[in-house]
Amino acid sequence: MAETSALNRRDVTRDIFSASIGSVACCYTGQPFDTVKVRMQTNPAAFPSVVITSRSIMTNEGISALWKGAVPTAMGMVLENAMAFGVNEALKRTFPDDAKEDPTKRPDLIRPFLMGAITGCCSATVLLPSEVVKAKTQVVVGNTGASSADIYKKMMKRQGIRSLFVGFDAQIMRDAPFYAFFFGTYELNCYLFRTYIPSMPEELNYFMSGGFAGMLGWAAAMPFDVPKTNVQASWDTRVVGSYFPELIRIAKERGPLALYTGLLPTIARAFPANAALFLGVEMGKKFFDKWVWP
C-alpha cells in the first residue's frame, strides 16, 4: 500500500500509539466518577446522590472499589480509542480540509461532527464486550465475586459468547451522538482558543479543548447512556431489541429527567478524563514523531 494512503503503516501505527497513551491516562483519571455514575443509574433508590454514593462505596467496600472494572475498562479504552482516533484520523486524511493548511481560512467546522458520528458507529463494535463486563462488574455490591474475571466466567456460563454482545443497539445509540460532539467540539474548541487566545500554549489548548469536548459529548449522549447502562448490567438482555423498551420504561416510570440520572458525576468525570485523553494523544503523537518513527 502506498505511503500516501490514508491507511499507510506509519500513520496507523502513530494513531494507535498515541491513542493507547491517552486511553490509560483517561481511564485511571475518570474511573471513580464512572463507578459512581453506574451505581446511581442502576439503583437510584439506594444511591440517590453523588455524595451518598461515594460515601457508601468508600465506607462499605473501600476506596479501591471506586476503580472497580478499571482493568477491562483500560483494555476496552485502548481498543476503543485506537479504533476511534484511528478511524477519525483516517477520515481526516481521506477527506482533508484544505483550510487547515492556511491559517487565514476558517476550517470546516461541520465536517468533524459528521466524521465523529461515523467514528462512533465503528468504535461501538470494538467497545461493546468490555462495556458489558464493566457494567455488570460495577453494579456488584461487596467484594465477593466482584472481579471482572468472575463476572466474565458467569457471563460465559449463562449465555456463552453471545453475552459479550448484548445491547449492541444500545451501544450504537450512545456512541454515534457522543463521538459526533466529542470530535466536533474538540476541533471547534481548538480553533476558538487559537483564534481568540493566541498566546495560550498548545498543551493547555489540548487539555482545555479535550475537557470541554468530553463534557459536551456526554451532555449530548446522556439520555441514551442511562438505558444502555441498565440493559448491559442486566443478565437477561438480548443482543438487539432490549434498548428501546428500556428507554420507554424509564421515561414512563421515572419521567424524562430520569434519562439524565448520573449526569453530575459524568460531567465531573468528563473534563479531567477527556482532558487527560486528548493531552495524552497529542503528546503521544509528538513523542512518536520525535523518538519512535521520525
Side-chain angles (χ1 to χ4, degrees):
M1 188 175 291
E3 287 299 304
T4 55
S5 167
L7 297 177
N8 72 75
R9 286 182 300 167
R10 185 189 182 279
D11 286 343
V12 171
T13 304
R14 180 177 183 258
D15 296 339
I16 295 172
F17 177 84
S18 59
S20 299
I21 292 176
S23 297
V24 175
C26 175
C27 174
Y28 284 90
T29 301
Q31 187 69 9
F33 299 98
D34 194 56
T35 299
V36 171
K37 179 204 73 171
V38 169
R39 291 289 179 91
M40 290 177 65
Q41 287 179 341
T42 55
N43 194 354
F47 303 107
S49 71
V50 174
V51 174
I52 291 174
T53 304
S54 302
R55 184 185 300 132
S56 175
I57 292 172
M58 289 188 286
T59 301
N60 299 321
E61 303 169 60
I63 193 170
S64 63
L66 291 170
W67 279 270
K68 274 187 175 181
V71 173
T73 300
M75 294 171 61
M77 276 190 176
V78 169
L79 292 173
E80 174 197 7
N81 288 317
M83 168 67 79
F85 282 87
V87 169
N88 198 256
E89 292 294 329
L91 286 171
K92 288 195 284 187
R93 291 191 291 269
T94 304
F95 305 103
D97 183 359
D98 295 334
K100 289 271 188 179
E101 306 301 323
D102 187 349
T104 64
K105 291 184 179 179
R106 179 179 177 178
D108 184 344
L109 299 177
I110 301 299
R111 187 181 312 214
F113 286 87
L114 298 176
M115 291 182 178
I118 296 171
T119 299
C121 293
C122 296
S123 68
T125 60
V126 174
L127 179 65
L128 183 58
S130 67
E131 281 284 287
V132 175
V133 175
K134 182 189 76 169
K136 286 179 168 60
T137 301
Q138 289 179 322
V139 298
V140 175
V141 177
N143 295 312
T144 303
S147 72
S148 300
D150 292 333
I151 296 297
Y152 175 78
K153 290 176 184 176
K154 187 176 178 182
M155 287 169 57
M156 290 296 103
K157 186 175 180 180
R158 292 186 61 161
Q159 291 181 296
I161 196 70
R162 173 174 165 272
S163 65
L164 293 172
F165 298 95
V166 298
F168 178 71
D169 50 349
Q171 196 73 40
I172 292 289
M173 287 299 299
R174 199 272 313 262
D175 285 358
F178 172 77
Y179 278 108
F181 279 83
F182 186 66
F183 285 114
T185 56
Y186 177 72
E187 296 291 341
L188 175 61
N189 291 335
C190 285
Y191 168 74
L192 292 175
F193 280 130
R194 289 188 184 115
T195 302
Y196 296 104
I197 314 179
S199 60
M200 175 182 284
E202 279 294 281
E203 293 79 8
L204 182 58
N205 189 342
Y206 301 146
F207 186 87
M208 298 296 292
S209 296
F212 288 127
M215 292 175 71
L216 291 169
W218 275 111
M222 197 67 198
F224 307 103
D225 185 59
V226 174
K228 180 200 88 73
T229 299
N230 286 3
V231 163
Q232 292 178 342
S234 173
W235 289 93
D236 57 357
T237 298
R238 299 190 298 273
V239 173
V240 175
S242 297
Y243 176 76
F244 287 104
E246 180 65 16
L247 185 150
I248 294 169
R249 183 193 68 80
I250 292 172
K252 280 185 176 180
E253 292 182 2
R254 293 156 51 190
L257 289 179
L259 295 173
Y260 290 89
T261 300
L263 179 62
L264 182 58
T266 299
I267 295 299
R269 167 194 179 275
F271 187 91
N274 290 287
L277 170 63
F278 274 102
L279 180 61
V281 167
E282 298 291 358
M283 292 298 98
K285 289 178 183 177
K286 293 184 177 182
F287 183 87
F288 183 90
D289 291 341
K290 184 173 183 180
W291 300 104
V292 179
W293 198 330

